[in-house]
Amino acid sequence: MDKAWMHSDRRSKAYEFGVEAFLNFAVENLLTATHIRCPCVKCVNLKLFGVGIIRDHLYFNGIDQSYKNWTFHGEPWEATTNASRNVEEDDGHSRYSFVSEEIDMDDNDFGDFGSDPYEFANVIGDGDQPVYPGCRKYTKLSALVKLYNLKAKHGMSDVCFTELLILQGDLLPEGNTIPTSMYEAKKTLCALGLSYEKMHACPNDCILYRKEYEDSTNCPTCGISRWKQGKDSILKEGVPAKVVWYFPPIPRFKRMFQSHETAKSLTWHAARKSIDGQMSHPADSPS
């Protein structure tokens, strides 16, 4: 389906016909749904409405132009799986490896994101999109990562960062892809994160307050309280004395196996077979 209308003027006939075609497409493919996700720039597929309200939103707010594959409205994902399959690498490095080098995110900002491989594939697509037409040095993702790194490094507030994004958008040529708010920036970057769990722990590392100890207030081994003690020696109930972070390995394996090259390297030891019967590598030995 032609999606050029998404970039047209909202007052044009092309945009009007495009909105109607999109709504008809969504209704035909989501026959059982009375409400569908609204792809306007304010709702960004987070809110569900009837077709009439969505039509108004698309005219008043405009459609989110980064929503290139209409997966929430019945378009098959296969159309864009190349974004995840081809996270292949230049000079042996992942196209998104610069993220770990450049970005200094505050995990509290993003919480538990990154479990959806489709969202991650969209981010990889942003890694190929120039920050403005004709730019060869920065992509939308690399520019945003560098800007966010400055925010974290210098302690910018969200309001300050939003104003910086707006200024950057005004300074760059027309057609630039810099987001205009902190919310939009987080929406793009959140898919880079991976899930984690916070667990209360005994200050002496005796136990974790989970399973049978989930409701305990004192350590059964050393007897120390679960809660933090203030300067006035009064326990602050609800404030843990110690918190440990658990990073589940399965989401990380899923992320690594999204790249064909990385998956090939991860399975090399199991897939490699000794041809000449000689032990030329430690992987040739059963031990």
Side-chain angles (χ1 to χ4, degrees):
M1 179 179 289
D2 183 19
K3 299 176 183 176
W5 64 271
M6 296 172 64
H7 303 279
S8 301
D9 191 309
R10 279 179 275 166
R11 297 167 295 182
S12 66
K13 284 291 183 182
Y15 189 85
E16 180 182 345
F17 293 149
V19 168
E20 295 305 320
F22 167 78
L23 293 174
N24 290 335
F25 176 83
V27 171
E28 289 173 3
N29 286 278
L30 302 172
L31 296 176
T32 59
T34 56
H35 288 69
I36 58 178
R37 294 178 181 270
C38 178
C40 79
V41 295
K42 290 188 176 180
C43 297
V44 288
N45 288 311
L46 297 176
K47 298 180 180 180
L48 284 76
F49 299 105
V51 172
I53 295 178
I54 293 177
R55 180 184 289 106
D56 292 341
H57 281 203
L58 293 177
Y59 282 121
F60 292 136
N61 304 327
I63 191 168
D64 180 7
Q65 296 182 6
S66 65
Y67 185 42
K68 300 173 184 177
N69 189 285
W70 299 341
T71 51
F72 291 119
H73 299 87
E75 187 171 17
W77 177 251
E78 287 75 9
T80 57
T81 47
N82 288 334
S84 61
R85 291 178 183 173
N86 297 322
V87 186
E88 272 30 299
E89 289 59 30
D90 303 326
D91 302 325
H93 294 284
S94 167
R95 268 194 264 160
Y96 53 88
S97 62
F98 69 91
V99 171
S100 61
E101 300 169 2
E102 293 290 344
I103 198 163
D104 183 13
M105 293 185 183
D106 182 357
D107 289 303
N108 291 324
D109 282 347
F110 298 107
D112 183 6
F113 289 105
S115 58
D116 186 351
Y118 298 159
E119 291 182 4
F120 184 69
N122 287 334
V123 174
I124 299 306
D126 290 337
D128 293 329
Q129 184 179 8
V131 69
Y132 60 84
C135 179
R136 296 183 178 181
K137 187 173 182 180
Y138 289 105
T139 64
K140 175 183 177 180
L141 183 58
S142 65
L144 187 54
V145 164
K146 284 190 173 290
L147 287 171
Y148 196 90
N149 192 37
L150 287 176
K151 176 189 184 302
K153 185 177 180 180
H154 299 290
M156 292 185 197
S157 66
D158 288 357
V159 174
C160 177
F161 188 64
T162 295
E163 292 185 1
L164 175 63
L165 291 173
I166 294 173
L167 177 60
Q168 288 281 354
D170 289 339
L171 293 174
L172 293 176
E174 288 187 10
N176 69 79
T177 55
I178 290 290
T180 57
S181 68
M182 180 65 191
Y183 171 77
E184 290 182 26
K186 280 187 178 181
K187 181 172 172 285
T188 300
L189 294 175
C190 68
L192 296 173
L194 286 169
S195 60
Y196 61 87
E197 298 176 27
K198 291 183 180 181
M199 301 179 184
H200 296 183
C202 170
N204 293 327
D205 299 322
C206 301
I207 65 161
L208 293 175
Y209 288 99
R210 58 193 295 267
K211 294 184 177 179
E212 67 269 25
Y213 302 122
E214 186 173 358
D215 298 323
S216 301
T217 56
N218 291 83
C219 175
T221 303
C222 65
I224 291 182
S225 175
R226 176 179 183 171
W227 310 122
K228 187 175 183 179
Q229 191 174 34
K231 294 181 180 180
D232 51 4
S233 299
I234 298 178
L235 293 176
K236 299 180 178 179
E237 189 170 347
V239 181
K242 186 172 186 177
V243 177
V244 296
W245 291 34
Y246 170 63
F247 298 93
I250 291 178
R252 284 152 180 78
F253 283 129
K254 288 181 178 178
R255 174 67 58 83
M256 288 188 286
F257 276 94
Q258 280 184 281
S259 165
H260 277 235
E261 288 298 316
T262 305
K264 192 184 300 181
S265 299
L266 289 169
T267 57
W268 183 86
H269 287 84
R272 182 181 184 275
K273 302 296 181 182
S274 180
I275 299 174
D276 55 5
Q278 303 295 321
M279 193 178 79
S280 57
H281 188 277
D284 297 333
S285 171
S287 61

